[in-house]
């Protein structure tokens, strides 16, 4: 059976994961459709451990032809049927060289998220966005132990929360612009 390992351009396979994948490919015998792999994210040389960043396992090793990704420009979900196993070796995610790049990436992704909401026809409100902002911060800071990792844990928890609020602000702006463009088109001589 053939397998597919799905990696982003800024991700690498740790030596432990390479050995584990080799073993799984030889010995699986049809037990699983896919395997989730822990992702170890870095900003520069700093490993982001808390706030939901580690182990943050995601399905990344798949039987060929048994999965697909949803059509989305940002954070597409993987769709598969069957059992998903868990590997222990890490994918090393070298996300950004510094916080400046991290903030630029955050800015791009919130723009894409807002566009996705509009394309999907979602009705997003300020109240729901504020609730999700607070929920995500609290979940990542307290439940996912962002507090254990000092300032970076706090900062990453803040980013998780603000993702919703910034996406909502851009969503409103895009909807307003779309409405204005439609009106301008109607009133042109």
């Amino acid at each position: 059976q053939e397998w597919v390992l799905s990696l982003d351009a800024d991700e690498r396979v740790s030596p432990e994961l390479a050995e584990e994948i080799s073993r799984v490919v030889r010995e699986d015998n049809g037990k699983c459709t896919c395997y989730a792999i822990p992702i170890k994210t870095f900003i520069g040389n700093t490993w982001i451990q808390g706030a939901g960043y580690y182990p943050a396992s995601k399905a990344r090793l798949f039987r060929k032809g048994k999965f697909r990704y949803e059509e989305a420009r940002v954070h597409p979900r993987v769709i598969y049927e069957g059992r998903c196993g868990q590997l222990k070796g890490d994918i090393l995610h070298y996300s950004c060289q510094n916080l400046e790049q991290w903030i630029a990436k955050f800015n791009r992704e919130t723009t894409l998220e807002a566009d996705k909401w509009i394309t999907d026809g979602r009705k997003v409100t300020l109240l729901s966005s504020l609730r999700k902002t607070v929920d995500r911060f609290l979940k990542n800071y307290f439940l996912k132990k962002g507090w254990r990792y000092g300032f970076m844990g706090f900062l990453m928890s803040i980013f998780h929360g603000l993702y919703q609020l910034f996406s909502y602000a851009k969503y409103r702006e895009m909807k307003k612009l779309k409405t204005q463009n439609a009106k301008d088109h109607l009133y042109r001589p």
Side-chain angles (χ1 to χ4, degrees):
Q1 184 76 357
E2 293 185 43
W3 292 83
V4 175
L5 177 63
S6 178
L7 294 175
D8 290 344
D10 58 0
E11 294 175 335
R12 304 292 177 265
V13 173
S14 69
E16 298 80 15
L17 179 59
E19 287 179 28
E20 199 171 8
I21 289 171
S22 182
R23 180 186 50 76
V24 164
V25 169
R26 284 190 319 270
E27 301 171 5
D28 178 73
N29 297 324
K31 291 185 280 189
C32 295
T33 300
C34 63
Y35 286 88
I37 302 171
I39 300 174
K40 202 173 192 178
T41 297
F42 294 85
I43 297 176
N45 293 326
T46 303
W47 171 24
I48 309 302
Q49 298 176 56
Y53 279 90
Y54 189 80
S57 288
K58 292 184 182 170
R60 291 297 194 85
L61 180 64
F62 306 96
R63 287 188 183 281
K64 190 173 182 181
K66 302 289 184 182
F67 75 103
R68 66 182 176 83
Y69 281 98
E70 83 175 324
E71 292 295 323
R73 292 172 55 198
V74 64
H75 304 130
R77 291 175 301 176
V78 66
I79 300 161
Y80 63 89
E81 289 185 24
R83 184 170 176 264
C84 185
Q86 176 67 51
L87 300 182
K88 293 179 182 172
D90 298 315
I91 289 174
L92 306 175
H93 181 207
Y94 298 103
S95 179
C96 300
Q97 293 176 5
N98 52 45
L99 280 174
E100 181 180 4
Q101 287 183 358
W102 180 267
I103 291 167
K105 181 179 176 182
F106 176 84
N107 187 37
R108 284 189 308 275
E109 289 183 356
T110 53
T111 300
L112 292 171
E113 187 73 29
D115 185 58
K116 181 168 112 175
W117 293 349
I118 289 171
T119 302
D120 293 349
R122 291 191 203 175
K123 303 292 185 222
V124 184
T125 66
L126 176 59
L127 185 61
S128 69
S129 294
L130 287 171
R131 183 186 53 76
K132 286 181 181 179
T133 295
V134 172
D135 286 351
R136 284 184 174 197
F137 169 76
L138 293 173
K139 180 180 179 182
N140 286 285
Y141 192 68
F142 293 107
L143 295 178
K144 295 187 176 184
K145 300 182 173 117
W147 60 270
R148 288 177 123 185
Y149 300 96
F151 180 71
M152 283 305 279
F154 175 74
L155 190 61
M156 293 302 113
S157 298
I158 289 284
F159 276 124
H160 271 291
L162 288 179
Y163 186 87
Q164 285 298 124
L165 195 59
F166 275 65
S167 297
Y168 174 73
K170 292 175 180 187
Y171 165 84
R172 277 189 53 143
E173 185 178 72
M174 288 175 186
K175 282 192 74 124
K176 185 177 178 181
L177 185 61
K178 189 176 180 180
T179 302
Q180 186 60 46
N181 287 342
K183 284 180 185 176
D184 290 349
H185 182 68
L186 287 175
Y187 296 115
R188 273 196 197 132

